[in-house]
Amino acid sequence: MHNYKKALLVAASVLGLLGQAVAADKLRVGTEGAYPPFNLVDARGKVGGFDVDIANALCAKMQVECEVVTSDWDGIIPALNAKKFDFIAASMSITDERKQAVEFTDPYYTNKLQFIAPKGAEFKTDEASLKGKVIGAQRATIAGTWLEDNLGDVVTMKLYDTQENAYLDLAAGRVDGVLADKLVNWEWLKSEPGQGFEFKGEPVYDNDKIGIALRKGDDDLRERLNVALQAMVADGTYQQINDKYFPFSIK
Amino acid sequence: MNWELMIKWTPRLLEGAWLTLELVGIAVLAGLILAIPLGVMRSSRHAWVRALPYGYIFFFRGTPLLVQLFLVYYGMAQFEAIRHSALWPVLRDPYWCAVITMTLHTAAYIAEILRGAIQAIPPGEIEAARALGMSRWQALLHIILPRASRIGLPAYSNEVILMLKASALASTITLLELTGMSRTIIARTYQPVEIFLMAGVFYLLASYALVRLFRLLEQRLRVEQCQGR
Amino acid sequence: MFLDLHGFGPALLAGTWITIQLALASLAVGLVLGLLGALAKTSRYGALQWLGSSYSTLVRGVPELLWVLLIYFGSVNLMRALADALGMDSLELSPFAAGVLALGLCFGAYATEVFRGAILSIPKGHCEAGQALGLGKVTILWRLILPQMWRLALPGLGNLFMILMKDTALISVIGLEEIMRHSQIAVTASKQPFTFYLAAACIYLCLTVVAMSSLALLEKRASRGFRRAYA
């Protein structure tokens, strides 16, 4: 008959635990964990990939301890502003829209946007040929925004929570093509389900600068990250990480 | 509070709200139709008739709707055989995947409501119907189901409200219903609080309207009120 | 194909453990909120009644997913103010804490109704008997009403707990690594959605079975000394 008392006791202790103070000397890095080869989570729950290697190298250069945290992509900027982490290393394109919400470091690599579609399919990337096609992209990415701004009335857009889900639907034939970062497409085309697909046309947007995002006003951290980035490029650490993932330079 | 932003995006949110209502409307009606045979079988006196709906209800009530949605939408597409079958034109469309999954899901719950309602009918009434010479089917159609629908109506209205809220999950399979639209808008504006609050108000209004509607229906169906006729 | 989990088996198990913790913690928070809500709703003061019923109406009218997103992303300013008031550097909600709050809030709103029904079905004479014996208000609540109400509320609470357990899947959208999140990660690596979502479904079914049988035990224990009524 004292069950309810125990329940109340447990509840009270849980409520006490909810608001914990956070130690400030450790930096937390936000990433998505679903964007191979840039960031991904393996079977043992370990986060890895190009972005994560870069972030860890930056932390080593700044001589601070870092912890990598994963977050859903379309919540990643709200989460940064909600202080869930201190900076985002998640292949985030530097755009004017995002600059209103966050601050960026110097770019750490450059990407392009390019369509992929089934091999042999009639798929040209001019506006007239794209009319009526169903195109998949990830929600809240530069590819999604580019589609909406440039082809919003021409194609039927489908927006996904993760890039992987867009690929699943491309393989399933639910979309005619996918618009995404060229390097991410390149990685997927190497994978087994990607075998029947290829790049279509020239990149539609080729100056996609990728930077590390921070909260507005964190100028001190931004300066430290920029200095660390320059040092990494100068001493060859950057090149080493680049070569681990790509047989060409992506700087 | 950024009022300008909220006013600017209202039309898009209304678009999403409309899709939400459409999804829920189809799912709860189709679910009801599917639930009637399930619920009747579930309250059968024979164990082997009860077994099939029991398994169905166990699976759909025992797993999260999110898992079911992902199984139908992304899971089915894993198989070549399904991608080349006659079902594919339907399963390829996220709209129909959402409608189908939500229908199957809610049918399991409605079937349980129906079973409870059938079991709550005094056995004497059914015996009376049989004693008057009604066949088993006649008793089911004219006595059991009408009685059960009155008893089960309040629980059914609860289920409709639950589905209204569960429909938010359709946003995870690319549908731009109220929650999906909000998330897409937030992806451009980075103002989660304002947009989610607005979406919350829409949901509240919709569930309030539904509660009122069902209360009216309950009043109309109440037998005591017809006694004067 | 079915048994080949591509090495993600342990990750799924770890996720299951998080799911269980999340469900139990939310249950605890929800029970407290539900009890407070029901006491407010059955109180004799108009303001408290209003508070209790607006809590349960407001929370039940908005999707759980929306509460999760709102609490996780919307709590920042509130937490900052709270931290200032308490004189701490920074306070914040982890995905786990946000999940517990959101799920507890929703559970509490429904539990309010269950508890209210149970409280109302305790005969008035019991309270009067307590008063006649000279017991205080709190003692009557603690010794008379709660122990009796517990038995009546248990079946309803059991149903709510089943719903709560499945709603834990929603917390995957704010990045908590429970069953669903681990399944999604596994799908990214293996490209086999059906396998992993089916595995997730099986885990949830197992949890449901365990919860159902423990509930049956609890109900049996709570109704010791009562004869079961047959319809």
Side-chain angles (χ1 to χ4, degrees), chain A:
Chain A
M1 270 304 140
H2 290 282
N3 286 341
Y4 63 94
K5 283 187 187 169
K6 279 182 207 152
L8 291 180
L9 208 67
V10 173
S13 49
V14 168
L15 277 175
L17 281 173
L18 283 177
Q20 281 170 328
V22 185
D25 50 338
K26 199 169 164 187
L27 285 181
R28 283 182 304 170
V29 189
T31 195
E32 187 197 6
Y35 204 62
F38 290 100
N39 54 72
L40 61 152
V41 181
D42 70 11
R44 276 165 300 149
K46 218 173 125 36
V47 191
F50 181 84
D51 291 331
V52 177
D53 286 356
I54 292 282
N56 283 333
L58 285 173
C59 290
K61 279 270 178 299
M62 296 189 295
Q63 292 176 333
V64 285
E65 205 183 324
C66 281
E67 182 196 357
V68 182
V69 186
T70 58
S71 158
D72 246 36
W73 177 253
D74 65 350
I76 206 164
I77 286 184
L80 173 73
N81 283 331
K83 294 199 174 174
K84 306 291 177 193
F85 26 78
D86 301 295
F87 63 90
I88 299 175
S91 290
M92 187 173 280
S93 309
I94 304 171
T95 65
D96 290 339
E97 236 167 7
R98 284 190 182 129
K99 272 187 188 162
Q100 291 177 5
V102 293
E103 205 76 68
F104 283 99
T105 61
D106 298 336
Y108 64 98
Y109 77 91
T110 308
N111 213 341
K112 301 175 162 94
L113 290 181
Q114 196 167 7
F115 282 101
I116 55 170
K119 273 182 187 159
E122 186 71 34
F123 194 103
K124 292 212 182 68
T125 53
D126 57 293
E127 210 166 291
S129 326
L130 281 172
K131 196 154 186 64
K133 289 228 186 312
V134 183
I135 305 295
Q138 190 179 359
R139 199 199 310 274
T141 60
I142 187 166
T145 320
W146 189 90
L147 268 182
E148 211 174 339
D149 291 347
N150 294 282
L151 296 169
D153 307 323
V154 181
V155 299
T156 309
M157 272 195 313
K158 286 185 66 174
L159 296 176
Y160 294 85
D161 289 356
T162 66
Q163 185 62 45
E164 187 54 36
N165 284 345
Y167 288 139
L168 282 176
D169 263 7
L170 180 64
R174 281 198 181 104
V175 293
D176 298 313
V178 160
L179 182 67
D181 289 350
K182 183 181 176 182
L183 296 167
V184 176
N185 278 340
W186 178 80
E187 179 78 8
W188 185 73
L189 290 176
K190 287 196 307 183
S191 75
E192 199 209 318
Q195 288 312 305
F197 301 86
E198 62 185 2
F199 281 116
K200 295 289 183 182
E202 288 299 305
V204 290
Y205 179 78
D206 62 4
N207 198 22
D208 179 11
K209 296 282 182 206
I210 310 292
I212 286 167
L214 322 85
R215 271 184 299 279
K216 289 227 171 223
D218 259 357
D219 294 331
D220 177 44
L221 180 60
R222 184 173 115 160
E223 210 34 59
R224 280 160 71 201
L225 282 166
N226 278 338
V227 170
L229 187 62
Q230 278 162 14
M232 266 174 65
V233 175
D235 73 3
T237 321
Y238 183 93
Q239 194 57 40
Q240 266 175 14
I241 298 174
N242 185 132
D243 294 347
K244 188 172 151 196
Y245 294 93
F246 304 100
F248 41 82
S249 170
I250 64 170
K251 177 72 183 140

Side-chain angles (χ1 to χ4, degrees), chain A residues 72 74 77-78 95 97-98 101 139-140 145 148-149 158-161 165-166 168-169 171-176, chain B residues 12 70 72-74 77 83 88 91-94 97 171-176 180-181 183-184 186-188 190 192:
Chain A
D72 246 36
D74 65 350
I77 286 184
T95 65
E97 236 167 7
R98 284 190 182 129
R139 199 199 310 274
T145 320
E148 211 174 339
D149 291 347
K158 286 185 66 174
L159 296 176
Y160 294 85
D161 289 356
N165 284 345
L168 282 176
D169 263 7
R174 281 198 181 104
V175 293
D176 298 313
Chain B
R12 294 291 300 276
F70 277 16
V72 170
Y73 188 75
Y74 292 117
R83 292 211 302 272
W88 186 241
L91 284 179
R92 149 176 226 277
D93 192 341
C97 282
S171 65
T172 57
I173 56 169
T174 75
L175 281 181
L176 294 180
M181 194 61 97
R183 293 173 77 179
T184 305
I186 291 163
R188 297 209 72 148
Y190 308 112

